[in-house]
Amino acid sequence: MLSKLNLTFALAIISTASAAVVTVQVGDGGFVYSPQNVQASKGDIVSFQFSGSPGNHTVSQANFSAPCEQLEGGFDSNFVSIPSGFKGPNPVFNLTIEDDTKPIWFYCKQTAPSPHCLTGMVGSINAPTTGNTIEAFTNAAKALTSLPAQKPGGLQGIGASASSPPSPLQNGASQPPGASTASNSPSSTSGTGSSTGSSTAPVSSNTSPSGSNTNKSGTIQNAAGLMLISFTTLLSIVFSA
Ligand SMILES: *[C@@H]1O[C@H](CO)[C@@H](O)[C@H](O)[C@H]1NC(C)=O
Ligand SMILES: *[C@@H]1O[C@H](CO)[C@@H](O)[C@H](O)[C@H]1NC(C)=O
Ligand SMILES: *[C@@H]1O[C@H](CO)[C@@H](O)[C@H](O)[C@H]1NC(C)=O
Ligand SMILES: *[C@@H]1O[C@H](CO)[C@@H](O)[C@H](O)[C@H]1NC(C)=O
Ligand SMILES: [Cu+2]
C-alpha cells in the first residue's frame, strides 16, 4: 500500500523533472544573445534573461529566410528596457518549446542607436550544425543593408510560445536611484530615442559590437541530475518494499 503510493510519488517526480530550463542572456555584453544557439526539447523552457544593463532589446521570432523581420504568427517579447546600473532581478521571457523538430530563429527589433539585428543580434533554438546554421543566419542578418519595416508579434509563436510577456522591472530598492519609471524619464539606455520611422538614418551593418559572437555556455539546469536522483529514489523504494 505504502510502497505503491511512494512509487506513484516517485514517478510523479520523474515526470515533472523531465522538462529542462535553458537560460539565454539578452544584451549581456552588447548586442548579443548568449549562448547564441541552444538545444531544447519539446516541453523545455528557454528562459530569456534581460540582463544587459543598460539595454533595450526584444526577442522576436523570424524566418531563416528573413532574419530581421517579424515572422507572421511568430512570438515577440516586445521591448524590455534595462536602465544603467540596474541590479535585478532581471525581467524574464519564458518560451515553452512545442516543436523541437524544426529550428526556431529570433532577432532583436531595436533600431536605436542603430538596428541591432544588422549587427548580428540574432539567435536560434535547435539550429542545425550544417546548412542553415546559426552562423549562416547571423551572416544573412549582417548582410542586410537596412532594417525591414517591423510589425508586432504575439505571445504565441510557431514551435514555441510564451504564456506571459516578460516580467516587469521591479521598482524600488533593486533599481538605482534616479532610474524612475520607464515612460517619462529620458534615460541613457542604449535604446532611447524613438526612431519609429522605418527609413531612418542610413545604417552601417558593420558596426558589430565587440564580442557579438561570444559563445558562453548557457546555464542548462538540465533535469538529468534530478532524474537520476528520482530514479535512485524509485529503485530504493522498489527494493525496500
Ligand atoms: C519561411 O520562409 C520559407 C521560404 O520563404 C517558407 O517556405 C516558409 O513557409 C516560411 N516559414 C514560415 C513558418 O512562415
Ligand atoms: C520562467 O520559468 C522558470 C522555470 O520554470 C520559472 O522559475 C520562472 O518563474 C519563470 N518566470 C516567469 C516570469 O514566468
Ligand atoms: C525602448 O526602445 C523602444 C523602441 O526603440 C522605445 O520605444 C522605448 O521608448 C525604449 N524604452 C526606453 C525606456 O527607453
Ligand atoms: C558554442 O558552444 C558549443 C558548446 O561548447 C559548441 O558545440 C558550439 O560549436 C559553439 N558554437 C559556436 C558558434 O562557437
Ligand atoms: Cu537588441
Side-chain angles (χ1 to χ4, degrees), residues 7-195:
L7 189 73
T8 315
F9 183 63
L11 285 172
I13 290 174
I14 289 176
S15 59
T16 51
S18 64
V21 180
V22 182
T23 304
V24 177
Q25 304 299 325
V26 180
D28 190 7
F31 300 167
V32 62
Y33 302 100
S34 55
Q36 204 185 7
N37 176 63
V38 293
Q39 301 296 321
S41 304
K42 188 174 177 188
D44 288 352
I45 292 174
V46 178
S47 186
F48 291 91
Q49 317 273 322
F50 289 84
S51 46
S53 167
N56 187 348
H57 305 281
T58 76
V59 177
S60 310
Q61 191 170 11
N63 193 329
F64 181 86
S65 60
C68 300
E69 268 175 72
Q70 176 69 48
L71 175 63
E72 195 72 42
F75 57 75
D76 184 13
S77 70
N78 219 322
F79 293 97
V80 177
S81 178
I82 307 296
S84 183
F86 182 68
K87 298 278 194 294
N90 296 316
V92 170
F93 183 55
N94 279 344
L95 280 179
T96 302
I97 304 305
E98 295 160 345
D99 181 359
D100 59 14
T101 66
K102 296 189 189 77
I104 293 167
W105 308 98
F106 56 85
Y107 73 105
C108 179
K109 279 185 171 165
Q110 184 58 265
T111 56
S114 63
H116 296 192
C117 190
L118 303 191
T119 71
M121 188 166 183
V122 297
S124 56
I125 300 165
N126 299 327
T129 52
T130 57
N132 290 354
T133 61
I134 182 59
E135 289 79 13
F137 188 59
T138 307
N139 290 338
K142 288 179 174 175
L144 294 173
T145 51
S146 66
L147 192 71
Q150 298 294 313
K151 289 178 287 190
L155 292 177
Q156 179 79 45
I158 297 173
S161 294
S163 57
S164 56
S167 48
L169 256 64
Q170 292 183 15
N171 289 313
S174 60
Q175 264 190 302
S180 57
T181 49
S183 47
N184 47 12
S185 75
S187 74
S188 58
T189 63
S190 64
T192 315
S194 50
S195 43

